[in-house]
Amino acid sequence: VLALPKGRIVAEVLPLLARAGIVPEAAFGTNATRRLWFDTADPGLKLIRVRSFDVATFVAFGAAHLGIVGSDVLAEFAYSELYAPLDLRVGRCRMVVAELAEMRETDDPAGWSHIRIATKYPNLTRAYFAARGVQAECIKLNGSIELAPRLGLCRRIVDLVDTGATLKANDLVEVEQIAAVTSRLIVNRAAMKTRSAETHRWIDRLAEAVDAAR
Ligand code: PRP
């Protein structure tokens, strides 16, 4: 079972899967069914579609054997049950700290000691700031993070930036980059042992597909 994330990453992942010989049934990616698992042309491989954070959870608990997930999600959870052998080189974006543009001119990040931050990534954010002696009080949101500063929930956010359009449309500017992000193949560590031949075969095929795309 291969867990795939929903959202804009799908369009980048499907061509990569095709190069690896993974062809989902026609209903995949359409709204024609409420079914959440799908067959592929290979009887030995099923696909499931879940939210990106849940890809890591399904694979960590062995409910799915393989998954595709952003390095942002991996860093937030740090599940020891996950092995991430392959950078798929798609889903490229950046994780940044941002704040209201009007505040940026006078604000000095070197002077921060205690800050409040809205984010999907509270663990990662706390650890990032703790490493430089800043206490980050995190407010966990699941989406639309960019609304938070304008409405006074907090003054700063940590979120992903791709084109920068969402920051700009919400009067936010980047203060600093926390990490570069790409999608990774993840594998359940137990499945690596109990289904060794199959998991290694998929890792190899996806690695070849990534190389072919370079
Ligand atoms: C992501 C991210 C930003 C946006 C960045 O959200 O959280 O909000 O994309 O992209 P941009 O720089 O190209 O504007 P997504 O659209 O995946 O939805 P979400 O708010 O549900 O996380």
Side-chain angles (χ1 to χ4, degrees):
V1 177
L2 170 64
L4 297 178
K6 295 178 180 178
R8 63 172 95 175
I9 186 69
V10 174
E12 282 188 78
V13 164
L14 284 180
L16 183 70
L17 295 184
R19 279 196 299 276
I22 299 172
V23 183
E25 65 172 300
F28 182 85
T30 70
N31 292 324
T33 175
R34 289 296 300 158
R35 198 153 44 85
L36 298 172
W37 60 266
F38 300 89
D39 289 322
T40 69
D42 185 327
L45 188 71
K46 303 253 185 256
L47 303 179
I48 60 169
R49 277 174 69 193
V50 295
R51 289 181 183 219
S52 59
F53 277 68
D54 294 339
V55 168
T57 307
F58 273 88
V59 179
F61 286 89
H65 307 100
L66 304 153
I68 291 179
V69 74
S71 51
D72 54 324
V73 174
L74 276 184
E76 174 64 11
F77 282 126
Y79 278 126
S80 59
E81 299 86 350
L82 296 179
Y83 172 57
L86 191 58
D87 185 342
L88 298 171
R89 303 170 67 89
V90 296
R92 262 178 220 286
C93 57
R94 302 176 312 110
M95 181 177 294
V96 306
V97 184
E99 64 187 13
L100 287 171
E102 66 206 32
M103 203 172 116
R104 183 70 196 102
E105 287 146 32
T106 52
D107 191 26
D108 177 11
W112 296 351
S113 61
H114 178 274
I115 53 175
R116 184 189 272 188
I117 295 219
T119 184
K120 276 187 203 174
Y121 310 95
N123 296 326
L124 191 155
T125 299
R126 268 191 297 271
Y128 173 77
F129 282 107
R132 67 178 207 221
V134 177
Q135 190 188 350
E137 180 195 336
C138 292
I139 300 173
K140 170 80 198 283
L141 294 177
N142 295 302
S144 307
I145 319 291
E146 291 86 351
L147 269 176
R150 178 55 70 202
L151 297 181
L153 190 61
C154 57
R155 297 164 74 192
R156 303 173 182 98
I157 65 168
V158 164
D159 199 13
L160 300 182
V161 173
D162 178 13
T163 62
T166 312
L167 284 188
K168 195 156 186 274
N170 291 285
D171 301 323
L172 297 165
V173 290
E174 181 177 333
V175 179
E176 61 194 54
Q177 176 169 323
I178 293 182
V181 172
T182 53
S183 295
R184 309 296 165 96
L185 177 68
I186 55 172
V187 187
N188 175 273
R189 282 192 190 277
M192 291 279 288
K193 295 193 183 112
T194 57
R195 308 185 78 154
S196 175
E198 289 164 278
T199 48
H200 281 99
R201 187 165 65 94
W202 288 118
I203 294 168
D204 291 348
R205 279 167 71 160
L206 283 159
E208 282 163 22
V210 172
D211 283 345
R214 286 192 196 211

